[in-house]
Amino acid sequence: MGARPFTVVIIGGGFSGAVAAIKLLDIAAARPLRIRIVEPRPELGRGLAFSTPDPAHYLNAPARLFSIHADRPDHLAHWLSVQEEAADIPLPASGQLADAFVPRQLYGAYVRAELARAEAEAGLNGSVEHLRAEAIDLVELEQGVRVTLSDGRIIGGDVALLATGFAGNRPTFEVAATPGSRYLADPWSLTGRDLAGAPPEAGPASVAADLPRDGTVVFVGGGLTMLDALVTLERKGFSGRYVSVSRHGLLVHERREPTPARDFLGETHPGSARALLRLARAELRAIAAAGGDWQSVVPVIRARLASLWNGASPAERARFNRHLRRYWELALHRAPGPSHETFARVRAAGRIATRAGRIEDITADAQGAIVRLKPRGGTAHEEIRADLVVNCTGAEYAWPRQSGRPLATNLLARGTVRPGGLGYGIDIDAAAAVIAASGHVSNAIFGIGPILRGTRWEATTIAEIVGHATAFAEHLATTRLSRRPPAVPPAASSRASAA
Ligand SMILES: Cc1cc2nc3c(=O)[nH]c(=O)nc-3n(C[C@H](O)[C@H](O)[C@H](O)COP(=O)(O)OP(=O)(O)OC[C@H]3O[C@@H](n4cnc5c(N)ncnc54)[C@H](O)[C@@H]3O)c2cc1C
């Protein structure tokens, strides 16, 4: 008789959940493994980032940086080379797909293809089941976990992996908007889909369709989310004016790929956000004096991010978040070439302006919207009249601020999880096991993806998620799957948290 399959329940079937399943199947399926993925979206592997139906929404770096297998950086380019849809990808000067920017929609297909490949290769030792529902509760039992689904089903497993990703954001300003008004809280609804990946019920797509072509669109934010919205509007034929409003009036940078700078950080931790800034500024001055490209410092800092974050005190992390984060995020998340071309064309035509300041409130109805702004450094209020306002401020990481998410509410209320650093996401230990409000480290509940923002900081990009998924699968393989279950299960242990 075969061994009972080890059951992993993955809550959230976006990129993080799917890559964790792929790694589990590839690494851990020496013993029968059953993976149950709870995900309301129709397709696994896409999540928020790769569900976009707009083919002009690109990954923000070349294909060679986005293989799902860190040991095979050319894997994605090889996969693309045999896909018909890849024929439309604009090739860079090198003519190589590895150097090209890939549409995110196609990248979602790559993730899905890899999931199917991993399941097929695991054969009888691995199965993946997609349960199309929302998980509304999760309880750790003496042995394993129990998950309650929105459709009333209750399922069990040996371990659960929380991969619930990004939640919509909650604006820091007042919004008075009637249903179907010219205020869009969800920027991706411009593409004709809402956050849950389903067709929108009340016409955001028609809001874009009805927009006067020469009207005014206000974007709240100036980063890559704004760029997605701008690209979609341009493709829909909008030819009017854009105003990007943000605290500091900053806008996306074009991505260039200069040779990385020398390792100016060395092995020692700078100790504070201010000292880090000093080191970076000195290096940037030297690079500028030598006629180099400031973007060459980005990979140097990025390579050290985990150790910089781990070695920083809570106060220094908060300082970084408050003062440096906006600059770092814009430096790291730069605009992919094809999207930047659209942006540069709009800017050259004088069709985009920026305003720095704090939005006080937005009122919107079916005809238009008014944004009330307190300009940076000024005292008088300014009003911007718009035909459409699109909130592009990005994700909300703080679980307590995520309204309408029963799972987060239940887990926090019961103390099964506790907020991570800076109040973002949830707290975990080095093996990604969830730490409860009591300090107890779970034996059966783990986390991955943007929900680890507060503990690991850089937990949201493809490279980090691939690394974290691989580590999770290896951890499970060595601690749980290398041996058959003992005849008499030991009592549930309670490891103490180091925190
Ligand atoms: C628009 C966008 C573009 C990006 N572009 C890049 C890029 O170019 N390069 C890069 O490196 N990174 C990029 N990223 C970052 C990175 O790809 C994402 O962090 C990653 O895709 C996160 O995947 P996820 O599965 O953790 O989260 P999500 O994509 O948010 O998916 C989470 C899934 O969980 C489901 N879910 C949530 N709650 C529940 C529940 N209670 N029960 C069941 N299911 C639930 C949701 O339906 C969702 O499908 C981008 C992110 C976004 C948002």
Side-chain angles (χ1 to χ4, degrees):
M1 210 170 74
R4 176 181 74 83
F6 186 87
T7 301
V8 181
V9 179
I10 300 180
I11 301 178
F15 181 73
S16 299
V19 174
I22 292 166
K23 296 297 169 188
L24 282 167
L25 291 163
D26 283 351
I27 295 170
R31 187 190 133 183
L33 187 64
R34 179 186 194 196
I35 301 175
R36 312 185 81 182
I37 307 184
V38 186
E39 168 61 60
R41 289 179 193 263
E43 292 188 337
L44 295 177
R46 293 191 180 273
L48 177 58
F50 311 123
S51 286
T52 173
D54 191 332
H57 287 170
Y58 288 90
L59 288 173
N60 62 1
R64 72 187 128 77
L65 298 180
F66 293 130
S67 165
I68 283 177
H69 307 290
D71 54 345
R72 282 172 283 158
D74 53 358
H75 187 267
L76 170 59
H78 275 160
W79 181 85
L80 288 169
S81 68
V82 293
Q83 307 304 313
E84 250 175 53
E85 300 91 320
D88 297 332
I89 295 180
L91 286 181
S94 71
Q96 302 295 315
L97 273 170
D99 297 328
F101 292 100
V102 179
R104 298 209 303 270
Q105 190 186 51
L106 189 54
Y107 190 74
Y110 166 65
V111 178
R112 293 176 53 68
E114 267 304 276
L115 183 58
R117 190 271 313 148
E119 189 181 9
E121 281 181 10
L124 293 176
N125 262 1
S127 68
V128 178
E129 185 185 356
H130 179 183
L131 302 157
R132 271 198 76 185
E134 181 183 352
I136 56 172
D137 206 0
L138 162 65
V139 176
E140 181 171 2
L141 309 171
E142 207 163 302
Q143 292 291 315
V145 293
R146 187 180 66 219
V147 184
T148 307
L149 309 190
S150 49
D151 58 12
R153 277 180 287 179
I154 294 179
I155 62 169
D158 293 289
V159 300
L161 178 66
L162 286 166
T164 54
F166 295 105
N169 57 10
R170 204 175 70 166
T172 52
F173 42 84
E174 293 292 318
V175 179
T178 52
S181 78
R182 296 300 185 98
Y183 170 76
L184 291 187
D186 166 16
W188 288 285
S189 62
L190 277 174
T191 61
R193 290 196 181 190
D194 69 7
L195 272 180
E201 306 223 323
S206 68
V207 165
D210 297 346
L211 192 64
R213 290 169 81 89
D214 57 351
T216 298
V217 173
V218 169
F219 295 128
V220 185
L224 287 182
T225 303
M226 177 220 64
L227 190 58
D228 269 2
L230 182 147
V231 163
T232 297
L233 284 166
E234 289 293 301
R235 279 167 51 76
K236 285 178 186 277
F238 182 73
S239 55
R241 208 169 76 88
Y242 300 103
V243 183
S244 160
V245 182
S246 61
R247 290 282 169 93
H248 292 75
L250 303 172
L251 282 173
V252 280
H253 302 292
E254 178 183 14
R255 184 181 181 101
R256 295 183 298 275
E257 294 276 333
T259 309
R262 68 189 181 99
D263 181 7
F264 64 96
L265 289 172
E267 282 310 303
T268 47
H269 196 286
S272 69
R274 189 185 288 261
L276 172 63
L277 180 63
R278 238 189 339 259
L279 285 172
R281 278 194 171 144
E283 187 63 16
L284 287 169
R285 273 195 301 274
I287 288 170
D293 187 333
W294 66 266
Q295 295 194 5
S296 60
V297 303
V298 176
V300 180
I301 298 175
R302 182 160 191 203
R304 289 285 310 282
L305 264 191
S307 64
L308 286 170
W309 189 254
N310 289 340
S313 67
E316 287 304 326
R317 290 177 181 184
R319 240 169 241 136
F320 168 81
N321 193 39
R322 211 166 33 246
H323 303 298
L324 300 184
R325 170 186 172 170
R326 64 180 72 91
Y327 302 103
W328 170 245
E329 301 270 278
L330 278 175
L332 180 62
H333 304 301
R334 306 190 297 284
S339 316
H340 194 267
E341 273 172 29
T342 306
F343 177 69
R345 180 171 49 73
V346 166
R347 192 154 57 176
R351 290 175 48 214
I352 185 159
T354 55
R355 289 278 187 292
R358 205 182 65 229
I359 292 180
E360 306 268 276
D361 54 60
I362 294 175
T363 46
D365 59 21
Q367 273 69 51
I370 298 175
V371 178
R372 228 163 50 89
L373 173 78
K374 188 148 172 276
R376 191 171 159 76
T379 45
H381 282 89
E382 184 183 328
E383 276 189 3
I384 309 173
R385 288 181 178 272
D387 297 287
L388 181 67
V389 177
V390 190
N391 186 352
C392 303
T393 51
E396 172 60 67
Y397 289 109
W399 271 29
R401 285 169 54 96
Q402 294 180 359
S403 51
R405 297 204 118 190
L407 181 66
T409 309
N410 287 334
L411 292 181
L412 282 169
R414 205 180 304 115
T416 308
V417 298
R418 69 182 182 192
L422 306 171
Y424 293 161
I426 57 170
D427 203 4
I428 48 149
D429 77 352
V434 160
I435 303 178
S438 63
H440 166 82
V441 179
S442 175
N443 279 308
I445 305 177
F446 298 81
I448 190 168
I451 62 172
L452 308 187
R453 182 65 154 178
T455 35
R456 294 191 170 165
W457 187 257
E458 206 40 270
T460 66
T461 63
I462 290 171
E464 272 80 15
I465 292 171
V466 166
H468 294 164
T470 308
F472 168 69
E474 276 166 359
H475 173 74
L476 227 54
T478 48
T479 57
R480 304 291 182 86
L481 295 167
S482 55
R483 58 186 194 282
R484 284 167 175 269
V488 181
S493 68
S494 169
R495 286 179 286 145
S497 155

